[in-house]
Amino acid sequence: MALIEIDNLVKHFPVRGGFLNRVVGKVHAVNGVSLAIEKGKTLGVVGESGCGKSTLGKLVIRLLEPTSGSVRYEGKEITGLSHAKMIPYRRKMQIVFQDPYSSLNPRLTVRALLKEALKLHRVVPPKEQDAYIEELIRTVGLRPDAADKFPHEFSGGQRQRIGIARALSTKPEFIVADEPVSALDVSIQAQVLNLMTDLKEKFGLTMLFISHDLKVVEHFCDEVAVMYLGFVVERLPAENIHDRAEHPYTRALLGANPIDDPDDRRPLTVLQGDVPSPFNPPKGCPFQTRCPKVMDRCRREMPPLEDRGEGRKVACWAVEDESPMKAEPAGAKA
């Protein structure tokens, strides 16, 4: 059963200019994305900076309002709900931000930070809050005395653990992790990822894990959705992603990753050209300006998200398919 269902979600940001500050255009941040996340599963969303990953995550939990489209939680439409009616869902849906320092109020101790959420959502009675906070802090691998310290007294990895504790404080079912380890040292990234893996299993969490690192996603996620210029261009199981990926963009991302084996001298893949401007995206396939397999059809038509079997879907005219399974319109549910 899908816990989260995203249907044709669109987000365009207005661009203003001129003497009267009128709307002169729009930035196409998310373009008709449709995804479903099964309960207890982790969906990884990958792509280059500016592809719309973080915007998608904020749309799902209503930190941003969509231009169009819908989000359903356990089959119930939450798009357009008032602030008061969203409060029960906000308890169930939390987010871990990329920058652990700027997402924490520097004027509050850890105890005060966590109590804000506990009071708002009435998670535990007031007399039990201190004990609950200390247990939360132990759960994320910090000492109980951390509760009375300020964010600046911690390292980056410790601050991210506090961010994770804050997300867990409301006993959520669904968490958006927005590049939670990208701002951390490599030596700390593995520790935080292992912690999140343990917490996911312990609490039965469903997650949307946003990253630009396919190696991290392959290790942590059950499925992967690849975004480019606001579109989902491929979705596939995270296991053995190197063998299953078919879209030229996904293959390029994989080829750009450093190779673990020092004896493997394959050259890294370097995509030519820049990502087109989301203010004026190209007609047809969004990847056409950088694709090594581009055809005339790619410049005219947006490819559908085609079912390739074994849980794989690809939106690419150039991908050969000897036995097509099912073609869905652009923006169809991945």
Side-chain angles (χ1 to χ4, degrees), residues 49-334:
S49 296
C51 73
K53 307 185 301 293
S54 295
T55 301
L56 176 64
K58 291 173 183 176
L59 288 170
V60 172
I61 60 172
R62 295 263 328 261
L63 288 183
L64 290 173
E65 295 298 325
T67 303
S68 62
S70 70
V71 178
R72 291 185 294 277
Y73 188 95
E74 292 186 322
K76 297 178 181 178
E77 179 69 50
I78 64 172
T79 312
L81 288 182
S82 66
H83 174 72
K85 291 183 178 180
M86 268 300 298
I87 289 179
Y89 292 99
R90 294 203 184 282
R91 175 176 174 173
K92 297 177 181 180
M93 302 189 296
Q94 291 291 312
I95 184 169
V96 177
F97 292 98
Q98 177 179 359
D99 186 349
Y101 189 72
S102 64
S103 64
L104 301 174
N105 189 332
R107 297 178 180 272
L108 298 181
T109 63
V110 172
R111 188 184 303 276
L113 283 166
L114 296 177
K115 276 190 176 181
E116 284 190 327
L118 300 185
K119 290 177 181 177
L120 175 64
H121 295 290
R122 301 176 183 177
V123 180
V124 294
K127 292 181 179 180
E128 300 177 16
Q129 287 180 358
D130 286 328
Y132 182 74
I133 287 170
E134 290 171 8
E135 179 61 29
L136 265 178
I137 290 172
R138 281 192 289 266
T139 299
V140 297
L142 295 175
R143 293 173 47 160
D145 60 1
D148 297 308
K149 295 182 179 180
F150 291 88
H152 73 270
E153 298 181 73
F154 298 96
S155 67
Q158 290 172 325
R159 282 196 289 264
Q160 193 60 289
R161 289 173 186 265
I162 295 167
I164 294 170
R166 183 176 60 181
L168 290 173
S169 65
T170 63
K171 300 181 181 179
E173 298 174 337
F174 174 68
I175 290 180
V176 173
D178 187 3
E179 303 210 38
V181 299
S182 63
L184 306 179
D185 293 339
V186 175
S187 59
I188 305 299
Q189 289 183 3
Q191 297 177 22
V192 174
L193 283 173
N194 289 336
L195 170 65
M196 294 183 70
T197 300
D198 293 341
L199 294 175
K200 181 178 69 171
E201 294 175 358
K202 180 178 180 179
F203 297 109
L205 298 170
T206 305
M207 299 185 72
L208 179 68
F209 187 87
I210 297 167
S211 179
H212 62 273
D213 191 334
L214 275 166
K215 285 189 175 181
V216 170
V217 168
E218 185 176 15
H219 166 75
F220 187 76
C221 300
D222 299 297
E223 293 183 277
V224 182
V226 183
M227 287 189 70
Y228 186 82
L229 208 63
F231 294 92
V232 172
V233 296
E234 185 165 16
R235 180 165 179 174
L236 68 164
E239 187 179 7
N240 298 326
I241 190 173
H242 286 76
D243 299 327
R244 297 180 176 183
E246 295 183 283
H247 196 282
Y249 179 59
T250 311
R251 300 301 311 171
L253 290 178
L254 290 166
N257 274 330
I259 300 167
D260 295 330
D261 186 356
D263 296 324
D264 192 337
R265 299 298 181 183
R266 286 176 295 168
L268 296 178
T269 301
V270 179
L271 281 173
Q272 301 299 316
D274 297 320
V275 179
S277 169
F279 179 75
N280 185 26
K283 183 181 178 181
C285 176
F287 189 56
Q288 55 161 290
T289 59
R290 305 171 76 194
C291 182
K293 297 183 178 181
V294 64
M295 305 179 295
D296 288 340
R297 189 180 188 184
C298 304
R299 299 185 177 95
R300 298 191 309 267
E301 304 174 50
M302 175 67 190
L305 199 60
E306 189 173 275
D307 193 335
R308 302 278 292 170
E310 299 180 344
R312 298 173 299 150
K313 295 183 179 182
V314 186
C316 180
W317 293 123
V319 172
E320 295 181 2
D321 188 5
E322 296 178 357
S323 56
M325 303 284 293
K326 175 185 176 184
E328 301 177 359
K333 188 166 295 183

Side-chain angles (χ1 to χ4, degrees), residues 13-28 279:
F13 293 98
V15 177
R16 298 181 180 275
F19 179 70
L20 298 176
N21 199 33
R22 292 176 176 172
V23 175
V24 296
K26 54 189 176 182
V27 173
H28 299 72
F279 179 75

Side-chain angles (χ1 to χ4, degrees), residues 1-5 37-39 72-74 173-174 206:
M1 175 183 175
L3 181 71
I4 301 290
E5 295 175 277
I37 308 175
E38 297 296 317
K39 197 166 188 176
R72 291 185 294 277
Y73 188 95
E74 292 186 322
E173 298 174 337
F174 174 68
T206 305

